Amino acid sequence: MCIAIVKPAGRVLTEAVLRTCFENNPDGCGFAAIVDGELRYFHSLNFDDFLGAYRESGVDQLISLIHFRITTRGTGGIENCHPFPLAEAALIHNGTLDNLGEKGKGKSDTNELSRLLFDEDMATLKRLELVEKKLFPVARSVI
């Protein structure tokens, strides 16, 4: 499964921790954080590029979503790296959505989910989060 991290502002993740995440999930990585009032994304298939952008963006001091991918649905490649943009948020996911995406073909399940949710407002996304928590109390996904 992927490694999906919701990182609080001020929580520092060491290079060793980030590298271990990538080594265990080497099919791509990315982060989303609000930098200078704008939600910014970075995706890479290369750990050193990821780390450089992560440090340059000051992510340690920001609330952020961080994701390290292992391919289960869709193809490998930058287009399926998380986080995915939504109109008012960012999306990361850990696990497999059986009804979305195909193994080894096209968009990943989460990429497809982001397309379906893209135009939803925050109130709707919050309601979906509550439904998800009731249906899957042990699992945790982030919207």
Side-chain angles (χ1 to χ4, degrees):
M1 284 195 166
C2 297
I3 297 172
I5 302 168
V6 179
K7 191 194 74 57
R11 175 66 188 254
V12 175
L13 298 178
T14 66
E15 179 177 341
V17 166
L18 295 169
R19 187 175 298 278
T20 297
C21 291
F22 184 79
E23 288 171 353
N24 286 281
N25 292 63
D27 295 337
C29 50
F31 64 84
I34 296 174
V35 179
D36 299 326
E38 179 183 331
L39 185 55
R40 294 195 189 161
Y41 298 84
F42 181 84
H43 303 103
S44 184
L45 301 175
N46 176 283
F47 177 76
D48 291 329
D49 292 344
F50 165 84
L51 184 64
Y54 183 90
R55 296 291 185 231
E56 184 178 307
S57 296
V59 175
D60 282 331
Q61 301 311 311
L62 306 170
I63 298 169
S64 58
L65 299 177
I66 305 164
H67 191 272
F68 296 89
R69 183 169 193 251
I70 194 157
T71 303
T72 56
R73 295 276 189 189
T75 58
I78 200 82
E79 67 279 359
N80 284 321
C81 288
H82 305 212
F84 291 98
L86 302 179
E88 296 186 23
L91 174 71
I92 61 174
H93 172 258
N94 181 16
T96 302
L97 301 168
D98 291 332
N99 295 325
L100 295 174
E102 293 183 54
K103 188 172 185 173
K105 292 182 181 178
K107 292 183 178 181
S108 70
D109 50 355
T110 311
N111 192 336
E112 289 287 351
L113 181 62
S114 71
R115 181 183 57 79
L116 294 171
L117 294 176
F118 185 84
D119 290 324
E120 300 298 335
D121 61 21
M122 285 305 294
T124 301
L125 294 174
K126 290 286 187 191
R127 284 193 303 277
L128 290 172
E129 184 178 25
L130 293 173
V131 169
E132 181 267 337
K133 285 180 181 178
K134 288 185 186 274
L135 291 175
F136 308 102
V138 176
R140 173 154 184 199
S141 60
V142 176
I143 293 178

